[in-house]
Amino acid sequence: MSSVDMTLAEARAHDRKRWLWPMGFGIIIIVAAIALTGWATGITWLIFSGPIVVYAVVPLLDYFIGKDSSNPPERVMEILEHDPFYRYSTYIYVAVQMGLFIGACAIVGTQDLTIAQWLGFVTTIGMLSGISINTAHELGHKRTWLEGWLAKIALAPVAYGHFYVEHNRGHHARVATPEDPASARMGESFWAFLPRTVSGSLRSAWEIEKRTLARKGHSTWSVHNEVLQAWGMTAILWGVLMAVFGIALLPFLIIQAVLGASLLEAVNYAEHYGLLRKKDADGRYERCKPEHSWNNDHIVTNIMLFHLQRHSDHHAHPTRRYQSLRHFDEAPELPTGYAGMIVLAYFPPLWYRVMDKRVLAHYNGDLRQASLQPAARARLLAAYPPPVSAAD
């Protein structure tokens, strides 16, 4: 065995989750198989496999299986980055996602379903569409034309193509600041955050692309507009599906897209809740650091979301591939994986009870350093008075 082969083998040995990564697309195949079994056998509750897995099974598995906070040594990072095994897992995911999506549309559009069966399919596909946005996120940060287009394809079913522009060139520049529509503020419920982030991200993506095209001498309304490219892919996909399977498919397409987008935004809500970058003396925000993202190392959700929960390293190195993302001891930790945090986010009193004390501890009791919902600022500072210093 050559020294190069030995180094590659060593690098692979340091990734404890190497053979679990294909479960990223394996999980959605299992979910779809359960739903199809429920439809074929008349066991209707099985068709709701999507929400059952996302909201119950994965949080429970996170709890019982636990965490993996290990990092590959620096000497093997570059080798892991260029190992094609990891790229192929994301490529296959997109193909599997599209196949399952089209198959579900064929069933919904051509079969005589009960209301319960229809609801089962729309919620399950909505969950899978939402999870698939994360694969688009992983691919969209890479610099190859193939991965860029695969990211847009993965976003097409859920009609959230503007995410490709806003996340890469908006959110990453403004993360953990009041100007970022995708960074939640302490005291802001998920239900208040959702319309703010959806509308704000849409406006931001359009303005970013408009400015970019103007600098390049292109019209906003041109084939060069990446927002229009992504939305056009949704229009073509949905149009073809309705032409083949019937216009009655439209409510299914819309509702699964809304569910998928809201699942993504629930994750966004958890990722930076209450965290704030300080301004330097020149009025510019400090560089994004590990302490500006909530992290988590529960294994099951990390496999399902391609290490998205190692969010601090992702913001420090956006083009770094998921297998190389590192755990930081100094980064604030969520009490459970994103799947469990999504469930909490839907119930604001529970969310505040779990998360507000963590924000408080992160800032050593001084919420003046945190990102606070303006309408809740006075109430929060009264409930958690800042510590008295000698200067005070």
Side-chain angles (χ1 to χ4, degrees):
M1 183 181 290
S2 69
S3 59
V4 174
D5 291 335
M6 290 179 64
T7 306
L8 180 59
E10 179 191 15
R12 291 174 173 176
H14 279 287
D15 181 5
R16 298 179 182 177
K17 298 187 284 287
R18 176 177 174 80
W19 298 110
L20 294 175
W21 293 119
M23 282 306 297
F25 60 82
I27 289 171
I28 66 172
I29 292 175
I30 292 170
V31 169
I34 294 171
L36 289 173
T37 300
W39 172 58
T41 61
I43 307 175
T44 301
W45 68 268
L46 288 178
I47 306 176
F48 291 84
S49 57
I52 291 170
V53 168
V54 170
Y55 295 138
V57 175
V58 172
L60 286 173
L61 289 176
D62 270 339
Y63 178 79
F64 287 109
I65 294 176
K67 299 181 178 182
D68 173 22
S69 299
S70 62
N71 292 330
E74 288 294 329
R75 67 180 181 276
V76 303
M77 285 291 196
E78 192 68 19
I79 300 168
L80 285 178
E81 279 283 304
H82 291 92
D83 188 339
F85 171 83
Y86 299 98
R87 295 199 304 276
Y88 295 156
S89 290
T90 56
Y91 299 172
I92 294 170
Y93 190 109
V94 177
V96 169
Q97 171 210 2
M98 292 302 297
L100 295 177
F101 180 75
I102 294 170
C105 289
I107 292 172
V108 172
T110 64
Q111 301 300 307
D112 187 18
L113 303 178
T114 66
I115 293 175
Q117 289 173 328
W118 191 93
L119 290 173
F121 276 115
V122 79
T123 54
T124 289
I125 294 302
M127 295 298 101
L128 298 189
S129 293
I131 295 169
S132 298
I133 296 177
N134 176 68
T135 307
H137 165 264
E138 169 67 22
L139 291 163
H141 276 291
K142 305 307 176 280
R143 291 171 177 161
T144 70
W145 69 267
L146 173 61
E147 287 167 303
W149 279 102
L150 284 175
K152 294 172 188 174
I153 291 170
L155 290 167
V158 76
Y160 224 59
H162 62 281
F163 174 83
Y164 180 82
V165 171
E166 158 56 22
H167 179 83
N168 293 346
R169 290 185 266 156
H171 173 63
H172 270 260
R174 299 179 303 224
V175 60
T177 70
E179 291 78 23
D180 180 31
S183 293
R185 304 152 182 167
M186 182 177 175
E188 180 180 30
S189 75
F190 169 69
W191 304 110
F193 171 78
L194 184 59
R196 180 173 74 84
T197 190
V198 170
S199 60
S201 295
L202 275 167
R203 288 195 301 271
S204 174
W206 189 257
E207 288 301 320
I208 288 169
E209 192 65 1
K210 183 178 179 179
R211 291 195 300 269
T212 300
L213 291 170
R215 286 197 302 270
K216 295 179 178 180
H218 297 305
S219 167
T220 304
W221 299 94
S222 71
V223 295
H224 303 285
N225 187 318
E226 291 192 294
V227 175
L228 291 179
Q229 289 174 8
W231 287 348
M233 294 178 76
T234 294
I236 292 170
L237 176 63
W238 285 21
V240 169
L241 289 171
M242 285 187 287
V244 174
F245 303 122
I247 191 67
L249 190 64
L250 183 59
F252 173 84
L253 293 171
I254 293 172
I255 293 173
Q256 65 84 29
V258 169
L259 291 174
S262 66
L263 194 68
L264 163 76
E265 297 302 354
V267 170
N268 276 339
Y269 178 73
E271 286 173 341
H272 306 283
Y273 178 79
L275 303 179
L276 181 66
R277 286 156 60 191
K278 298 182 179 67
K279 284 188 175 181
D280 296 326
D282 61 1
R284 295 183 179 182
Y285 287 108
E286 64 181 322
R287 184 176 180 179
C288 187
K289 300 175 183 177
E291 57 262 33
H292 297 129
S293 302
W294 291 98
N295 286 254
N296 188 267
D297 276 322
H298 278 89
I299 294 171
V300 177
T301 302
N302 261 334
I303 292 297
M304 185 172 70
L305 298 180
F306 291 115
H307 252 167
L308 180 66
Q309 297 178 136
R310 292 193 169 185
H311 210 59
S312 291
D313 199 17
H314 168 67
H315 272 278
H317 303 94
T319 60
R320 177 170 284 170
R321 295 187 182 273
Y322 64 91
Q323 67 271 17
S324 304
L325 293 174
R326 299 163 297 173
H327 163 86
F328 289 109
D329 288 335
E330 64 268 32
E333 280 283 320
L334 294 169
T336 189
Y338 284 171
M341 298 308 297
I342 290 169
V343 177
L344 279 180
Y346 294 159
F347 302 96
L350 291 178
W351 175 271
Y352 297 145
R353 180 176 296 182
V354 170
M355 285 302 297
D356 284 3
K357 64 184 179 183
R358 286 174 166 80
V359 177
L360 186 69
H362 180 64
Y363 288 110
N364 298 313
D366 189 355
L367 287 185
R368 293 173 297 186
Q369 300 179 53
S371 176
L372 304 180
Q373 177 76 335
R377 184 177 183 84
R379 174 179 59 81
L380 290 169
L381 292 175
Y384 305 104
V388 178
S389 65
D392 294 334

